[in-house]
Amino acid sequence: MELIRSLTLILISFILTSGTALGFQEAPESSPQQNLLANPQRTVHTFLRWQQAGHKNPDYVVTTMKLADGSKAEKLELAERLLKILDARGLLIDYDAIPSNPNYTDSLSGLQQYILFQSLPEVYLVKTSQNEWVFSKSTIQAIPELYSDTFSSWFTFLIDQLPEWTTNEWFGIKIWQYLAVFFWILIGLVLMKVFEFFLDNYVSRLAKKTKFSWDDDLIDSIEKPSRYIFVTVFFLLTYSNLQFSVTVSQAISVFLEIALSAAVVWLFYNLADVFSKYLTVVTSKTETELDDQLIPLIRKTLRFFVLIMGVIAILQNNGINVASLIAGLGIGGLAVALAARETLANFFGSVTIFLDRPFKIGDWIKSGDVEGTVEEVGFRSTRIRTFYNSLVSVPNSNLANADIDNLGLRRYRRLKTVLNLTYSTTPKQMEAFVEGIKAIVKANKHFRQDMYEVHFNSFGAHSLDVLVYVFFNVPDWSTELQQRHNFFLEVLRLAKEVGVEFAFPTQTLHMDSFYKEEPRKVGEERSEEELASAVHEFGPGGKKGKPDGVRIFRAGEEIDFGANK
């Protein structure tokens, strides 16, 4: 709304400073004695030149209407009406474009006739048998209808009823025209509000009663652009009633046509989003995730296509040869390609990602220093939501050539840790603790059951170390954290149950001896026979050795903790 108001104020300022002095484009002067109807260019000059203030000559003007029936006054009225039509519609005549050849022949029809404006084919000149170019009979017959189409009859009647002082000019514009511009804009804004009220209170309510959600999105997306289209169409259909000079009317016409084209492009741009949302709903019901990744690319392609086609349409409608413009741009294509090599590299990188599919939207990936969840794969970059909740855009060319660790495709999630027990732990407690952890793993369905390792692994500097190497079978990181929590709580309860303690880095200082005292004896002394017996008992067939683990019995039955796994 603010944009429309700003542009309207600029337009009004342009109108106020332009006035009727911006008449038709002047042609070179020629003497009245020359043949006024010798060629199309001379006829148009005669028609326009001798109707301007300070140059009025009805005798010359009516010669262009020779094919009309009726009196001189009626012919003059037809000429004046035709000039009003051309001025009000902003149809500015370019003399250089009008042929000066007396024997001009239209290339399409093969007839000696000249159409002044392609947008108004009803108005054209023909060559008579007297070798004079005049307005055709069809043009003369069409003038009354064109006049009624250009100027509203009730508005014309209203202007005729205004007091005479409203015809006075201020800065070249009549007072009634200032008033007309004010009410013209006011009525347009009121109609836009009425249209908006109709959409909100009838169309939107009707859409909300349906079982579908896409129609609600459709109404929301077209609401703003459609009301601007509505009011712009109103202005386009009624601006000719203001009866400004040809240049001012042309400026208004061009402005409104560009505004209408921009609003239509805006409408289709929003419709592209609605279509993408609809495709998202459809693809969410399929098993493959390829189509889910394709939706963002389709949405961006549709948006880009709508913008490009909109710009081409606006340029084409304003007389710019788009084909020539594109050809001209092709001359600098090499320079543009060199300047845009990074953009092209990113585009082909996105194609590579789409075809190779190293990841998909929602995957947890790690590439270089970037780690997070993939949110969107675009033409230029891939957006990754980090675990700090920041959004990182990585150029696709970098991802196409980098190592990508797709953590989201992991079937199992590894847990490797070392549990440190104090040196006060007895062999039986150690064996019970290790077997208890194995039992915890077996009892939890979220662990991989065919692959896990739990062993008394080493004698540490301050502890007895138990290696725990297990895999979680979980779908996401949140579930993994929850199962880690559950597992470690089970280990704590097990440690308390078997009576072991977890060690932490400590250092014990023993004062072994003082002056004239014997040093402390470390360990117990054994005879050679006892030492040999101990070696034998822990060797093959020995009674004290338990190479397959400790056997624990409960109620006379051996408890199997998977020692032989």
Side-chain angles (χ1 to χ4, degrees):
M1 177 64 74
E2 293 298 329
L3 176 61
I4 294 296
R5 290 176 180 171
S6 300
L7 294 175
T8 303
L9 291 175
I10 294 173
L11 180 61
I12 294 174
S13 300
F14 178 75
I15 292 172
L16 295 177
T17 55
S18 299
T20 55
L22 298 173
F24 66 92
Q25 293 183 356
E26 284 287 348
E29 288 288 345
S30 59
S31 63
Q33 288 74 20
Q34 295 179 358
N35 189 348
L36 301 176
L37 311 174
N39 55 59
Q41 189 181 80
R42 290 293 303 136
T43 300
V44 173
H45 177 264
T46 300
F47 172 76
L48 294 177
R49 172 69 174 177
W50 303 112
Q51 291 195 72
Q52 301 304 310
H55 301 279
K56 289 191 176 183
N57 191 324
D59 294 332
Y60 291 160
V61 175
V62 295
T63 59
T64 61
M65 297 288 172
K66 283 187 176 182
L67 299 182
D69 298 328
S71 64
K72 176 182 175 181
E74 291 174 340
K75 293 180 180 179
L76 182 61
E77 183 181 0
L78 287 173
E80 290 175 347
R81 285 196 167 195
L82 180 58
L83 181 60
K84 279 188 175 182
I85 293 170
L86 299 181
D87 286 351
R89 295 193 178 198
L91 299 175
L92 184 64
I93 293 177
D94 182 6
Y95 279 109
D96 294 333
I98 302 176
S100 59
N101 181 9
N103 299 315
Y104 173 78
T105 301
D106 185 66
S107 59
L108 294 177
S109 63
L111 301 175
Q112 288 189 308
Q113 64 180 25
Y114 175 72
I115 299 175
L116 269 68
F117 302 99
Q118 296 300 323
S119 60
L120 196 64
E122 299 94 331
V123 179
Y124 62 95
L125 304 173
V126 295
K127 187 176 182 181
T128 65
S129 57
Q130 289 80 25
N131 293 326
E132 294 178 330
W133 287 84
V134 295
F135 286 102
S136 66
K137 285 188 176 182
S138 298
T139 300
I140 293 170
Q141 294 172 357
I143 288 175
E145 183 178 354
L146 289 174
Y147 191 83
S148 63
D149 291 341
T150 305
F151 305 105
S152 172
S153 58
W154 69 267
F155 185 80
T156 303
F157 174 79
L158 180 62
I159 296 302
D160 293 339
Q161 305 306 313
L162 293 175
E164 187 176 352
W165 63 267
T166 59
T167 59
N168 297 331
E169 293 187 357
W170 186 39
F171 295 108
I173 298 179
K174 296 178 180 179
I175 294 177
W176 72 262
Q177 289 177 315
Y178 287 104
L179 298 174
V181 169
F182 173 77
F183 286 105
W184 179 58
I185 296 175
L186 178 62
I187 293 172
L189 296 178
V190 169
L191 289 177
M192 184 172 68
K193 287 295 182 181
V194 172
F195 182 79
E196 183 179 354
F197 176 82
F198 174 77
L199 282 180
D200 292 340
N201 291 274
Y202 293 96
V203 180
S204 296
R205 288 183 180 180
L206 184 63
K208 290 178 180 179
K209 293 180 180 180
T210 63
K211 298 180 180 179
F212 310 103
S213 60
W214 61 266
D215 53 354
D216 299 324
D217 295 333
L218 179 64
I219 298 300
D220 292 339
S221 65
I222 69 173
E223 181 179 358
K224 287 186 177 181
S226 61
R227 69 187 185 188
Y228 286 118
I229 291 174
F230 175 79
V231 72
T232 306
V233 170
F234 165 76
F235 287 145
L236 269 174
L237 294 176
T238 56
Y239 79 93
S240 58
N241 289 290
L242 302 176
Q243 300 181 19
F244 286 118
S245 65
V246 61
T247 48
V248 175
S249 297
Q250 185 190 45
I252 296 174
S253 174
V254 171
F255 170 79
L256 292 176
E257 288 178 359
I258 293 176
L260 179 60
S261 300
V264 172
V265 171
W266 183 13
L267 174 66
F268 281 98
Y269 187 89
N270 288 355
L271 288 178
D273 282 344
V274 176
F275 181 68
S276 300
K277 289 181 181 178
Y278 174 75
L279 289 181
T280 302
V281 174
V282 174
T283 55
S284 63
K285 299 178 182 179
T286 61
E287 296 182 358
T288 177
E289 296 178 348
L290 175 62
D291 48 9
D292 297 331
Q293 191 169 349
L294 187 62
I295 297 302
L297 293 178
I298 293 177
R299 182 178 65 252
K300 291 187 176 182
T301 302
L302 285 174
R303 286 178 172 180
F304 182 76
F305 176 77
V306 169
L307 290 177
I308 292 298
M309 295 305 297
V311 171
I312 291 176
I314 292 174
L315 294 177
Q316 196 73 38
N317 291 337
N318 286 276
I320 300 176
N321 192 329
V322 179
S324 301
L325 181 62
I326 295 175
L329 292 176
I331 299 175
L334 180 60
V336 173
L338 291 175
R341 63 183 184 275
E342 293 296 333
T343 302
L344 293 175
N346 290 327
F347 171 75
F348 287 110
S350 66
V351 174
T352 302
I353 291 172
F354 175 72
L355 295 178
D356 193 41
R357 287 182 292 171
F359 53 80
K360 62 181 181 299
I361 295 175
D363 280 353
W364 170 12
I365 69 170
K366 182 178 181 180
S367 180
D369 297 331
V370 180
E371 180 178 2
T373 304
V374 178
E375 281 200 355
E376 184 179 356
V377 181
F379 284 114
R380 193 198 73 82
S381 63
T382 296
R383 291 175 173 80
I384 300 175
R385 181 72 65 180
T386 68
F387 298 113
Y388 300 101
N389 202 34
S390 62
L391 191 63
V392 179
S393 296
V394 183
N396 289 330
S397 58
N398 294 352
L399 287 178
N401 297 318
D403 295 332
I404 299 175
D405 186 3
N406 193 332
L407 303 173
L409 291 182
R410 293 179 299 171
R411 183 179 178 185
Y412 303 108
R413 299 168 185 253
R414 188 185 71 167
L415 169 62
K416 180 181 179 181
T417 186
V418 175
L419 302 177
N420 308 123
L421 302 182
T422 61
Y423 269 93
S424 62
T425 305
T426 65
K428 290 184 179 181
Q429 287 176 318
M430 176 63 76
E431 191 71 20
F433 183 70
V434 170
E435 297 300 329
I437 294 177
K438 293 179 181 179
I440 291 173
V441 173
K442 284 187 175 183
N444 193 329
K445 64 179 181 180
H446 294 285
F447 280 105
R448 182 179 178 181
Q449 300 297 329
D450 60 339
M451 176 61 186
Y452 60 88
E453 300 293 340
V454 183
H455 303 286
F456 173 29
N457 192 49
S458 65
F459 291 90
H462 62 278
S463 62
L464 303 176
D465 299 335
V466 177
L467 172 66
V468 177
Y469 188 82
V470 294
F471 294 87
F472 293 102
N473 186 3
V474 291
D476 51 52
W477 188 47
S478 179
T479 309
E480 176 188 354
L481 293 177
Q482 183 60 46
Q483 293 306 316
R484 278 175 175 257
H485 171 84
N486 295 341
F487 174 65
F488 289 144
L489 282 178
E490 288 283 89
V491 171
L492 280 177
R493 286 191 284 265
L494 174 66
K496 186 176 181 180
E497 190 70 23
V498 299
V500 298
E501 293 183 358
F502 293 103
F504 49 87
T506 56
Q507 188 175 31
T508 303
L509 179 62
H510 294 281
M511 304 298 292
D512 278 347
S513 62
F514 291 96
Y515 181 68
K516 294 183 178 180
E517 292 184 4
E518 295 292 330
R520 182 180 68 87
K521 293 183 179 180
V522 180
E524 298 180 6
E525 293 185 358
R526 295 287 187 269
S527 64
E528 293 185 0
E529 182 178 350
E530 289 175 330
L531 294 175
S533 174
V535 172
H536 175 74
E537 291 296 331
F538 279 91
K543 296 180 180 179
K544 295 183 179 180
K546 298 179 178 60
D548 294 329
V550 175
R551 294 182 180 181
I552 301 177
F553 294 87
R554 183 175 60 189
E557 295 184 2
E558 182 179 353
I559 305 301
D560 181 14
F561 290 106
N564 297 321
K565 181 186 74 67

